[in-house]
Amino acid sequence: MIDFVRSIAIISQVRKRLSTNCVCAIAVSFAATCALLPQTRAASSDPFRYRGGLRNSPGKHKLNARQLDAVLTSLRDKTGLLEMRFDEDWFLTLGDQTKFSGGSATARALLNATASLPHAVDLESHMYSPEVAFARLGKSVGYYNYTTGSKIDVAPLEIDFSDFSKLRGDRQALAAFDLGFVILHELGHTALGLRDAADDLQALGECEELINRIRRELNLPERQTYVAQAHAAPVSYGSLRSTQIAELVFARSVEKQGRMRIEKFNLNWEASQVGPSATIADRGSNTSDRRPQIEDRLKVARDKPDATFLPRHE
Ligand SMILES: [Zn+2]
């Protein structure tokens, strides 16, 4: 399978001369070019190269012990799986899946689908990368062993751990957009083939709909759009120089004194400090303008039948 580079956080910025359609056309053209140029490599000396699932990269971008532990801790937090670990060959193994404490059933199902993949997903560390905003799937590489006939596609899941320290905002929003959620998002792409909302700036896309279901099961606020809004702000107090601040809004409905209320939480980061910005500006709509959209979105998400993307296994 071929995976094209996708980023968790596309920041949009409307520019007078660069329409969204133009951006899409470039993306389509890039995808078409990639499709014509699949990468294939001959057999690897890595003895586990032909085993599928999620693993630490054996190459130069491998996660160090601390990074691997951060991934495991955050995924455990989302799934509640008590026996989940990276085994001695650096593959994520789930252990006895009936042993869990709290966590999200959807996250458990997504990781179960990931651990059973016929292709491999390699975790890679790309610290301070100007190309990676939080995380993205790189281009898959196919391996073929001419002696044994084994073959496998390997998708690199590139993570810039340094980006997470640049996040600012409400505590609940920070909890709803952490390392584990970002990895789960990319796994939604590569394990289930889910897509982002590439052409509707107010939409989420099926991949983030799945991640929102996980947030809901963990009682965390839900992301409201796939694309972040960007606006200019002074570099420092009183400075004439400005920088682009990207912002995502998270929301959840709560019942207070018999009435349903919407709680909103903001998350922001300095776009140039985090990663690539193929970008869109705030169109000036204020918070109260967005409120009906948020209410509608939360209602639709709540009322949606428990769908669709994942095989049930528990
Ligand atoms: Zn995505």
Side-chain angles (χ1 to χ4, degrees):
M1 114 178 217
I2 295 170
D3 265 308
F4 305 116
V5 173
R6 304 184 190 98
S7 173
I8 178 90
I10 293 179
I11 306 159
S12 66
Q13 179 166 23
V14 173
R15 291 191 179 165
K16 284 178 187 163
R17 278 172 294 182
L18 183 63
S19 72
T20 308
N21 285 338
C22 177
V23 173
C24 287
I26 293 167
V28 167
S29 158
F30 173 70
T33 305
C34 289
L36 294 173
L37 299 170
Q39 292 185 42
T40 306
R41 290 182 191 165
S44 160
S45 57
D46 172 7
F48 307 107
R49 183 65 291 168
Y50 296 91
R51 176 176 160 189
L54 181 70
R55 71 182 298 202
N56 191 11
S57 167
K60 64 176 181 177
H61 289 294
K62 63 175 173 285
L63 276 57
N64 62 34
R66 210 167 137 188
Q67 292 168 332
L68 208 57
D69 192 53
V71 170
L72 182 61
T73 301
S74 194
L75 291 179
R76 242 188 217 146
D77 183 50
K78 309 296 174 289
T79 61
L81 287 170
L82 298 172
E83 294 190 355
M84 184 167 66
R85 67 188 183 97
F86 284 97
D87 69 14
E88 54 281 5
D89 303 324
W90 278 350
F91 281 83
L92 186 75
T93 56
L94 306 187
D96 183 346
Q97 294 182 58
T98 63
K99 293 182 179 169
F100 61 88
S101 171
S104 147
T106 301
R108 287 192 287 277
L110 175 53
L111 281 193
N112 182 58
T114 301
S116 328
L117 282 174
H119 66 273
V121 183
D122 280 10
L123 292 169
E124 292 188 355
S125 172
H126 291 254
M127 291 289 280
Y128 309 107
S129 167
E131 310 295 329
V132 180
F134 305 107
R136 69 177 184 181
L137 283 175
K139 187 165 165 44
S140 279
V141 175
Y143 286 84
Y144 185 72
N145 186 321
Y146 291 94
T147 309
T148 64
S150 305
K151 54 186 177 182
I152 193 166
D153 288 318
V154 179
L157 200 170
E158 304 167 353
I159 305 168
D160 187 342
F161 288 86
S162 70
D163 286 343
F164 294 91
S165 65
K166 317 272 175 48
L167 289 169
R168 301 285 180 270
D170 297 312
R171 191 173 53 84
Q172 294 286 334
L174 289 163
F177 191 86
D178 69 356
L179 177 62
F181 277 116
V182 164
I183 291 172
L184 290 171
H185 175 103
E186 300 306 334
L187 295 180
H189 287 310
T190 189
L192 304 175
L194 303 182
R195 293 181 175 276
D196 290 321
D199 50 2
D200 181 350
L201 301 178
Q202 293 299 318
L204 267 174
E206 55 190 13
C207 196
E208 268 304 304
E209 282 181 21
L210 180 81
I211 304 306
N212 269 352
R213 200 202 303 176
I214 295 172
R215 293 182 178 112
R216 210 155 49 240
E217 290 171 0
L218 296 171
N219 196 31
L220 286 167
E222 297 170 39
R223 181 170 169 177
Q224 295 302 297
T225 55
Y226 171 70
V227 174
Q229 295 287 324
H231 63 271
V235 172
S236 57
Y237 182 74
S239 172
L240 294 177
R241 285 198 305 126
S242 67
T243 185
Q244 287 288 308
I245 301 294
E247 182 187 81
L248 282 173
V249 176
F250 293 75
R252 69 181 166 200
S253 48
V254 289
E255 194 179 329
K256 279 186 182 165
Q257 297 169 334
R259 290 185 59 190
M260 293 306 285
R261 293 173 181 273
I262 303 292
E263 289 182 334
K264 280 179 65 260
F265 305 92
N266 289 304
L267 183 75
N268 63 74
W269 63 91
E270 195 175 332
S272 65
Q273 296 287 308
V274 164
S277 337
T279 68
I280 268 190
D282 197 331
R283 280 162 283 181
S285 64
N286 61 31
T287 306
S288 57
D289 291 337
R290 292 184 205 154
R291 193 174 180 84
Q293 284 178 10
I294 292 174
E295 285 175 0
D296 289 348
R297 200 185 316 280
L298 289 172
K299 183 171 186 326
V300 167
R302 265 198 322 274
D303 294 348
K304 224 175 193 176
D306 242 15
T308 44
F309 307 124
L310 286 162
R312 290 215 169 270
H313 76 290
E314 56 181 307

